[in-house]
Amino acid sequence: MKNIDANFPTILVIFGATGDLMEKKIVPALFDLYWQKKLPALFHIIGFSRRDYSAGQFQDHIAGIILRYAGLVVPTEEVKNFIKLFAFRRGRFEAVARYEELARHLGRVDGEWKTCANKLFYLAVPPEHDKIILENLSSAKLTLPCSQEEGWTRVIVEKPFGKDFKTAQDLDRTLGRLFKEIQIYRLDHYLAKEMLEEIMNFRFANNLFEDHWSNRSIESIVLRLYEKIGVETRGAFYDGVGALRDVGQNHLLQMLALITMDAPASLSVSAIREKRAAVLRTLAAPTFADIKKTARRAQYAGYTAIPEVNPMSTTETFFRVEAKLAGERWRGVKIFLESGKRLGEQRKEAVITFNHPHPCLCPPGGRHFNNQVIISLEPEEKILITFRAKKPGLELALEERSFNFMLRESKEQAQYVEQYAKLLFDCIKGDQTLFVSTSEIDAMWKFIDPISRAWQKNASPLLSYAPDSADIAERVLEVSGQPFIAKTIGIIGLGKMGANLARHLNEEGWKAAIYDRSPESVKELAKEGPNGAFSLAELIDKLPQQKIIWLMLPAGKAVDETLFGPDGVAKKMKRGDIIIDGGNSYFKDTIRRAQKLAKQGIHLLDCGTSGGPSGARNGACLMIGGEKKIFRKLEVLFDDLAVPGGYQFFPGAGAGHFVKMIHNGIEYGILQAIAEGFSILKKSAFKLNLAEVASIYNHGSVIESRLIAWLKKAFELYGANLRVISGQVSGTGEGAWTVKTAAELKVTDKIIAGALRFREVSRKKPDYTGKIISALRQQFGGHSVKL
């Protein structure tokens, strides 16, 4: 069906025409369109309600609404002309005969206008009436358009779209049976807010932030809707819904979709709606344990005294929940949704916080800042960007500054009217961009339903807060996501990886007790904050009752001696304690150790750690194996240590080390291919600058990668000949284990096996290809490879 000219003769039928929605939003919005001359020249409005009004009384009712909305600034003549657009049909929603009368009324208007007018049916009613109205419209043949060219039929359905996933699907089935998708307009006024539309423009019409708009740079997203008002006269409705379903299922998740969606291919309705739906489909449904741990709810004092509210009600008027997006772009970013009534302030905003820079060129001892982008809807419509700048003066001190874009002055906006006017105008035009698709609704309910069910089982206690205060928001602000463990850990092994891991955890608020066979290493690192120990027994004594120890040791004998030797830690630990092997242990050794420790009731997690010393310092990639319940207990540790989205659990002892072993085997093959390719480049007849070759490969090519960037850096440091770099290539043993495992599993491994053989031969016959591999290993792993 085509989009029709917005000036084509149109009839709007409003069911629930004497209700609250009509008075506060629809009539002022229609008058606003009328005042701006945006309505079709031939436009007729029919109110449908069970109230016993005559046509004149209904028009007087509309006039009263206009005067309350616009006051004396509107000429009386304009009000008189406006209310002439209105007619009234009395009837109960379930009375089929009234719809047949309505059809005859519409036919008479068509006859007067000598055309088949467009028909727009607006369901401004509580959701329990939607189905019967839709069925009766269909039975009276009012859902059928006149033709493909003129006289379209459209239906507007207000949120909430069902009370849960099941009822939303029931409503959708009814709509789908009676209408085509192009006829259905699911209205939630929030999508029409100027600042929500501005989010797409801010992101996709500019090139300032989008390249960094992901877990690579963003640490957290907090979406909040704080309201000063309470439930007021909406007790019956609100008590059956609650804050989470009233604004969390729709407003906040729509904000989240706009902030996290990928760029649409075009500005077409289908492209934009599909990208919103696509990111919402990555919402991870929270488990009961997740909800118990991170979701908070509260009710303001005096709520149960409101008329038509159950005196024993446990309905929340405030909530704070954590959301997780499972897609690659946003995995690991902390996302919180919070909203409530009677919070003492009107504040509606999205706060996007960026990661702290590493390394930070911050004055020693000075306060650290995180850059933020704050998109504010109320009390002001603005976008604020925070950054650090030098404080004027002789001292090197930083202070927080901001760029501030104000969309318009607060007095310019009219609450609700602007959004409803825009949406009604879009309905008449046939533009569904700002309306919610069924795919979005399904995805939102799949996230909300588990929380609602868990709260019915009291998974989170119902807290109380004083009205007109942000007290509850402050009380739960730091609760979500907090671990059930003391953030204290023992670290054994202070080489390049272990020492940097300890530094990283220290910055993340962990108390680390450290041990190494080298007392000097312990003393040096202890100066930076960790608690030094000079024996394994002393290390154990420094840990709390439930002990967590991280091993960062060379694979093989060192791990066994530390665990099971005469003074091994396993002899000093108790049932329920946890050991994490973060080194490159052979996965079969890990299985054996886990079984042996399990006999003592000690848990072993294996954690393959990738990223080299800089990864351990600033955020690594972690591949974790073991028991899932133990991983869940320590997930906050891995979250603190990893780059955003950079940890994953794999069930079974040894699984993490197995995945890391294969990772290193793949690494052997990739390094070999890069080295061989650059060896050919160097030996060619062309006088090639290898640093420049590496540079162009790393700007949009298929082989663009961190490895190519590191190779460019090596060429710049040591020259194209890499004279000071050894052509003898060492290894950690994981390449050999990968080849051995491939043989056991009867899997072809020609590339990895060839790369392993090259390294073995290079120790006797070093060459330029070996120099490139050694240079790369030095760049990402800090390995000593100079001659």
Side-chain angles (χ1 to χ4, degrees):
M1 188 179 294
K2 294 180 179 179
N3 286 356
I4 307 298
D5 182 355
N7 197 38
F8 197 86
T10 301
I11 302 171
L12 169 63
V13 181
I14 305 171
F15 293 91
T18 56
D20 191 61
L21 184 62
M22 181 77 164
E23 179 170 345
K24 292 182 178 177
K25 300 172 185 177
I26 299 174
V27 170
L30 286 169
F31 185 75
D32 196 54
L33 290 172
Y34 170 80
W35 186 262
Q36 296 182 58
K37 298 185 171 24
K38 295 292 186 181
L39 294 175
L42 290 176
F43 191 69
H44 183 52
I45 306 164
I46 302 170
F48 191 107
S49 173
R50 63 184 179 182
R51 188 168 294 186
D52 191 12
Y53 274 162
S54 66
Q57 288 172 323
F58 184 61
Q59 290 180 345
D60 290 343
H61 173 64
I62 299 300
I65 294 173
I66 297 303
L67 291 173
R68 285 193 294 276
Y69 157 62
L72 299 177
V73 298
V74 182
T76 304
E77 195 63 30
E78 290 290 347
V79 176
K80 287 181 179 178
N81 290 334
F82 178 68
I83 65 174
K84 289 176 183 176
L85 301 177
F86 287 80
F88 185 75
R89 307 299 304 179
R90 179 173 176 268
R92 291 177 292 109
F93 298 141
E94 62 272 21
V96 177
R98 296 302 185 184
Y99 293 81
E100 294 168 351
E101 291 176 5
L102 175 62
R104 289 192 288 273
H105 180 103
L106 297 178
R108 287 194 294 273
V109 176
D110 282 349
E112 291 173 12
W113 289 350
K114 296 182 173 54
T115 187
C116 180
N118 300 328
K119 313 295 190 305
L120 181 58
F121 298 103
Y122 194 142
L123 277 59
V125 297
E128 59 266 25
H129 299 300
D130 287 346
K131 190 170 183 179
I132 190 64
I133 293 172
L134 294 169
E135 295 283 5
N136 285 337
L137 283 172
S138 177
S139 67
K141 298 188 175 5
L142 288 170
T143 58
L144 301 176
C146 297
S147 73
Q148 291 294 320
E149 299 302 322
E150 64 177 13
W152 50 248
T153 299
R154 294 175 185 150
V155 62
I156 303 174
V157 182
E158 277 268 355
K159 75 100 180 168
F161 310 109
K163 290 188 174 182
D164 50 27
F165 178 68
K166 182 179 181 302
T167 55
Q169 280 199 314
D170 288 345
L171 174 61
D172 198 59
R173 277 192 291 268
T174 300
L175 286 167
R177 180 165 45 84
L178 304 176
F179 297 90
K180 295 178 180 178
E181 181 62 26
I182 200 171
Q183 296 176 276
I184 304 168
Y185 287 71
R186 301 171 186 85
L187 187 151
D188 184 339
H189 73 275
Y190 236 71
L191 275 176
K193 281 185 172 288
E194 285 284 353
M195 284 308 297
L196 260 68
E197 288 190 86
E198 191 62 35
I199 291 172
M200 276 189 51
N201 298 325
F202 175 74
R203 290 185 57 197
F204 304 131
N206 300 291
N207 198 25
L208 291 171
F209 292 100
E210 196 57 27
D211 284 349
H212 299 278
W213 205 259
S214 69
N215 55 17
R216 292 173 59 190
S217 299
I218 291 176
E219 175 181 288
S220 66
I221 299 170
V222 178
L223 307 177
R224 57 172 63 95
L225 302 181
Y226 290 179
E227 295 186 90
K228 290 180 71 172
I229 63 170
V231 173
E232 317 301 348
T233 59
R234 300 170 67 221
F237 164 77
Y238 197 90
D239 204 41
V241 177
L244 181 68
R245 289 188 289 179
D246 187 39
V247 299
Q249 182 270 337
N250 35 69
H251 299 345
L252 284 170
L253 289 179
Q254 286 158 10
M255 287 174 67
L256 179 62
L258 290 168
I259 288 168
T260 58
M261 65 187 275
D262 288 342
S266 69
L267 292 177
S268 69
V269 174
S270 59
I272 292 171
R273 294 174 95 189
E274 174 49 36
K275 289 301 182 183
R276 289 198 316 242
V279 75
L280 288 171
R281 284 194 291 267
T282 70
L283 274 168
T287 66
F288 189 86
D290 291 335
I291 296 159
K292 188 174 182 180
K293 182 179 176 182
T294 65
R296 297 293 177 266
R297 59 181 179 143
Q299 184 187 95
Y300 66 79
Y303 168 78
T304 54
I306 294 171
E308 298 187 272
V309 169
N310 184 340
M312 302 299 290
S313 174
T314 58
T315 297
E316 79 286 349
T317 59
F318 172 89
F319 68 88
R320 188 175 201 256
V321 300
E322 183 175 3
K324 293 180 181 178
L325 295 174
E328 288 298 321
R329 183 172 188 173
W330 296 104
R331 184 177 290 127
V333 175
K334 297 180 184 298
I335 301 170
F336 296 100
L337 316 176
E338 58 184 38
S339 180
K341 291 188 173 293
R342 296 291 296 271
L343 290 180
E345 62 177 326
Q346 196 80 358
R347 182 150 60 110
K348 302 178 180 182
E349 63 186 8
V351 180
I352 297 99
T353 301
F354 287 74
N355 297 322
H356 193 275
H358 288 288
C360 177
L361 302 181
C362 306
R367 181 187 163 204
H368 287 214
F369 299 91
N370 287 67
N371 300 116
Q372 290 185 325
V373 172
I374 301 171
I375 301 168
S376 173
L377 287 70
E378 293 183 33
E380 296 175 311
E381 292 179 300
K382 65 181 181 181
I383 297 176
L384 184 129
I385 302 167
T386 69
F387 64 100
R388 288 179 290 279
K390 183 183 179 299
K391 196 173 184 178
L394 299 176
E395 301 292 331
L396 176 55
L398 298 182
E399 63 180 353
E400 194 167 11
R401 300 282 187 90
S402 64
F403 292 117
N404 194 343
F405 159 67
M406 187 76 71
L407 181 68
R408 58 186 170 184
E409 295 300 324
S410 298
K411 64 182 180 182
E412 294 180 33
Q413 62 177 317
Q415 180 80 319
Y416 299 124
V417 174
E418 179 182 63
Q419 292 100 57
Y420 272 83
K422 186 181 299 183
L423 292 168
L424 283 165
F425 186 62
D426 283 354
C427 286
I428 295 169
K429 286 194 305 179
D431 185 348
Q432 292 178 304
T433 305
L434 300 181
F435 294 83
V436 190
S437 68
T438 185
S439 297
E440 293 170 83
I441 293 167
D442 287 352
M444 291 188 288
W445 277 122
K446 286 177 181 178
F447 172 74
I448 292 295
D449 274 359
I451 303 173
S452 295
R453 288 194 296 266
W455 281 352
Q456 288 170 6
K457 298 177 182 178
N458 203 33
S460 305
L462 183 68
L463 306 175
S464 178
Y465 63 100
D468 307 321
S469 165
D471 164 68
I472 189 63
E474 295 167 3
R475 279 162 52 195
V476 306
L477 189 61
E478 299 301 329
V479 173
S480 296
Q482 290 299 301
F484 291 155
I485 58 170
K487 293 181 80 168
T488 302
I489 191 169
I491 299 174
I492 300 175
L494 302 179
K496 294 184 292 289
M497 294 287 287
N500 277 346
L501 183 138
R503 292 185 179 101
H504 188 169
L505 285 176
N506 186 57
E507 290 180 355
E508 295 289 344
W510 286 75
K511 296 177 181 177
I514 54 173
Y515 169 76
D516 191 89
R517 288 183 300 174
S518 166
E520 290 305 314
S521 297
V522 175
K523 290 176 184 176
E524 194 63 29
L525 188 57
K527 294 176 184 177
E528 300 180 36
N531 194 354
F534 297 93
S535 70
L536 292 174
E538 185 183 356
L539 179 85
I540 295 291
D541 289 342
K542 289 179 181 291
L543 298 177
Q545 185 173 3
Q546 182 175 31
K547 295 169 177 53
I548 306 165
I549 289 180
W550 185 294
L551 306 181
M552 194 58 88
L553 300 168
K557 188 182 295 185
V559 178
D560 280 320
E561 287 181 353
T562 301
L563 290 175
F564 307 117
D567 297 316
V569 294
K571 294 183 177 180
K572 301 173 176 64
M573 298 178 77
K574 306 184 304 299
R575 179 175 293 276
D577 289 346
I578 304 167
I579 296 170
I580 305 160
D581 183 358
N584 285 332
S585 291
Y586 183 37
F587 76 97
K588 289 186 178 180
D589 288 339
T590 301
I591 295 170
R592 169 177 56 80
R593 291 166 187 150
Q595 291 171 345
K596 189 171 181 178
L597 289 167
K599 293 177 181 177
Q600 295 179 235
I602 299 171
H603 306 287
L604 177 66
L605 293 179
D606 48 291
C607 181
T609 308
S610 182
S614 64
R617 182 69 184 86
N618 302 318
C621 171
L622 307 177
M623 304 153 226
I624 306 141
E627 300 172 71
K628 190 167 187 177
K629 67 177 181 180
I630 304 303
F631 160 74
R632 287 293 185 203
K633 191 169 187 177
L634 294 189
E635 188 168 2
V636 66
L637 168 66
F638 301 116
D639 187 51
D640 284 345
L641 276 175
V643 294
Y647 69 88
Q648 185 64 57
F649 174 76
F650 303 96
H657 279 153
F658 182 80
V659 173
K660 177 58 164 56
M661 178 187 77
I662 302 303
H663 162 283
N664 280 27
I666 293 170
E667 176 192 304
Y668 271 48
I670 294 173
L671 294 184
Q672 189 71 28
I674 291 172
E676 290 176 4
F678 274 83
S679 294
I680 297 168
L681 288 165
K682 187 175 186 301
K683 204 163 186 178
S684 75
F686 298 103
K687 294 180 180 180
L688 300 172
N689 182 315
L690 296 187
E692 290 178 354
V693 174
S695 179
I696 192 59
Y697 282 173
N698 226 35
H699 282 81
S701 84
V702 173
I703 62 169
E704 180 178 3
S705 66
R706 295 171 72 191
L707 288 168
I708 297 293
W710 279 319
L711 182 56
K712 176 178 179 287
K713 185 177 179 182
F715 285 140
E716 290 172 342
L717 286 172
Y718 305 117
N721 290 324
L722 302 173
R723 284 196 175 88
V724 299
I725 301 294
S726 172
Q728 296 175 318
V729 188
S730 59
T732 60
E734 293 204 317
W737 297 337
T738 302
V739 171
K740 178 182 176 182
T741 302
E744 292 171 352
L745 297 175
K746 298 180 180 179
V747 174
T748 302
D749 63 340
K750 290 181 180 179
I751 302 298
I752 299 172
L756 176 65
R757 282 195 299 274
F758 173 85
R759 294 194 182 197
E760 292 168 348
V761 171
S762 76
R763 287 156 205 166
K764 294 181 180 179
K765 297 180 180 180
D767 63 6
Y768 184 74
T769 300
K771 283 176 174 284
I772 293 179
I773 297 173
S774 293
L776 282 167
R777 294 185 76 243
Q778 183 206 44
Q779 287 296 308
F780 67 72
H783 302 285
S784 178
V785 292
K786 292 187 179 182
L787 289 170

